[in-house]
């Protein structure tokens, strides 16, 4: 079922589709407890609910939390929606599966936006302001054998995510590398990303070679990280 996206809420895109695909291949125990962190429209959370899971969806945005509730009502699916900062609303609980498509886009601003649409994607100079918190805090909420599925950009250092998760005794690996072309946000930051060394290529010159360089510059790689809490 197609979800409704209200004004000011992140529209499901390639990263959402990638996370959904891996969710559908994830074996879940009966009556699994699932957490969707940064739920947005609730698209991923509702996909988990359709699999029979008991799902809690969290978002810091009032609009997103309301949007997820609307989509749950339209789909006639049970969904517990909590408004709050990442894992804080579910402190003390445990889950069989944690899903997250968090803000991960490197940005010129050092801090995350406090309001506006960019809050759904901007995450500091290295794109890790939210990723670091999830990698540090999510493992404690996983049950033995529980799984974290996390999507991020290769621009925001997936190897650091792996190191952080493994430091908490999780078995973590990259499940898929998925190339996509830059969207409007990254295209607008091409020069800044190059100056920071986050993408290669000068993007200068003339003729067909220059066009090829620009095309190569404007490709991003999404990755899916799967981390398991060993018994």
């Amino acid at each position: 079922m197609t979800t409704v996206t209200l004004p000011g809420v992140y529209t499901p895109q390639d990263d959402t589709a990638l996370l959904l695909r891996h969710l559908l291949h994830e074996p879940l125990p009966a009556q699994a407890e699932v957490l969707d962190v940064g739920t947005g429209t609730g698209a991923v959370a509702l996909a988990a609910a359709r699999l029979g899971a008991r799902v809690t969806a969290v978002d810091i945005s009032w609009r997103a939390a309301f949007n997820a509730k609307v989509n749950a009502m339209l789909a006639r699916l049970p969904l517990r929606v909590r408004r709050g900062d990442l894992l804080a609303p579910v402190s003390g609980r445990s889950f069989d599966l944690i899903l997250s498509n968090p803000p991960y886009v490197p940005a010129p601003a050092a801090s995350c936006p406090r309001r506006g649409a960019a809050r759904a994607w901007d995450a500091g100079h290295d794109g890790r302001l939210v990723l670091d918190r999830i990698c540090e805090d999510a493992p404690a909420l996983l049950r033995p054998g529980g799984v974290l599925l996390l999507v991020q950009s290769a621009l925001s250092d997936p190897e650091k995510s792996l190191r952080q998760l493994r430091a908490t005794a999780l078995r973590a690996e990259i499940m898929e590398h998925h190339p996509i072309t830059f969207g409007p946000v990254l295209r607008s930051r091409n020069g800044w990303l190059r100056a920071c060394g986050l993408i290669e290529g000068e993007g200068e010159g003339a003729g067909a070679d220059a066009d090829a360089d620009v095309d190569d510059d404007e490709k991003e790689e999404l990755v899916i990280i799967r981390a398991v809490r060993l018994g």
Side-chain angles (χ1 to χ4, degrees):
M1 176 180 176
T2 302
T3 56
V4 171
T5 303
L6 300 180
V9 179
Y10 180 75
T11 302
Q13 298 182 42
D14 295 274
D15 46 8
T16 309
L18 185 62
L19 185 58
L20 279 169
R21 187 164 74 249
H22 283 263
L23 163 63
L24 295 177
H25 287 89
E26 188 65 42
L28 293 174
Q31 297 295 303
E33 289 284 349
V34 174
L35 173 65
D36 182 25
V37 184
T39 194
T41 64
V44 175
L46 292 173
R50 290 187 186 95
L51 297 175
R54 296 162 42 158
V55 187
T56 301
V58 175
D59 206 293
I60 195 171
S61 163
W62 284 107
R63 291 189 182 194
F66 178 72
N67 199 158
K69 290 180 181 179
V70 168
N71 280 322
M73 292 175 60
L74 292 173
R76 298 184 179 180
L77 288 169
L79 183 65
R80 288 169 287 190
V81 181
R82 301 288 181 266
R83 188 261 174 185
D85 188 12
L86 294 180
L87 302 171
V90 293
S91 176
R93 294 184 56 191
S94 63
F95 299 90
D96 299 291
L97 176 64
I98 298 177
L99 305 156
S100 189
N101 177 14
Y104 55 68
V105 176
S111 59
C112 292
R114 296 182 62 86
R115 60 182 60 85
R119 184 162 61 169
W121 55 78
D122 280 358
H125 293 325
D126 59 2
R128 295 205 56 88
L129 289 180
V130 179
L131 283 166
D132 284 342
R133 293 176 59 197
I134 292 174
C135 291
E136 291 167 6
D137 297 340
L141 275 64
L142 286 174
R143 296 172 176 175
V147 172
L148 168 68
L149 285 179
L150 176 69
V151 61
Q152 68 169 90
S153 171
L155 298 175
S156 47
D157 197 355
E159 290 299 324
K160 184 176 182 182
S161 295
L162 293 177
R163 290 194 301 271
Q164 289 177 317
L165 293 167
R166 289 167 180 166
T168 65
L170 269 62
R171 185 179 66 218
E173 59 183 322
I174 293 176
M175 301 300 293
E176 183 176 351
H177 298 261
H178 182 74
I180 61 171
T181 56
F182 276 7
V185 173
L186 287 180
R187 280 200 302 271
S188 71
R189 295 178 186 169
N190 192 302
W192 179 81
L193 292 167
R194 191 181 304 112
C196 293
L198 292 172
I199 61 174
E200 298 179 353
E202 298 300 324
E204 297 177 353
D209 289 341
D211 291 340
D213 287 341
V214 172
D215 287 344
D216 288 342
D217 280 356
E218 295 192 351
K219 291 180 181 177
E220 180 188 12
E221 186 176 79
L222 300 176
V223 300
I224 282 281
I225 293 175
R226 183 179 187 269
V228 185
R229 180 180 175 183
L230 304 178

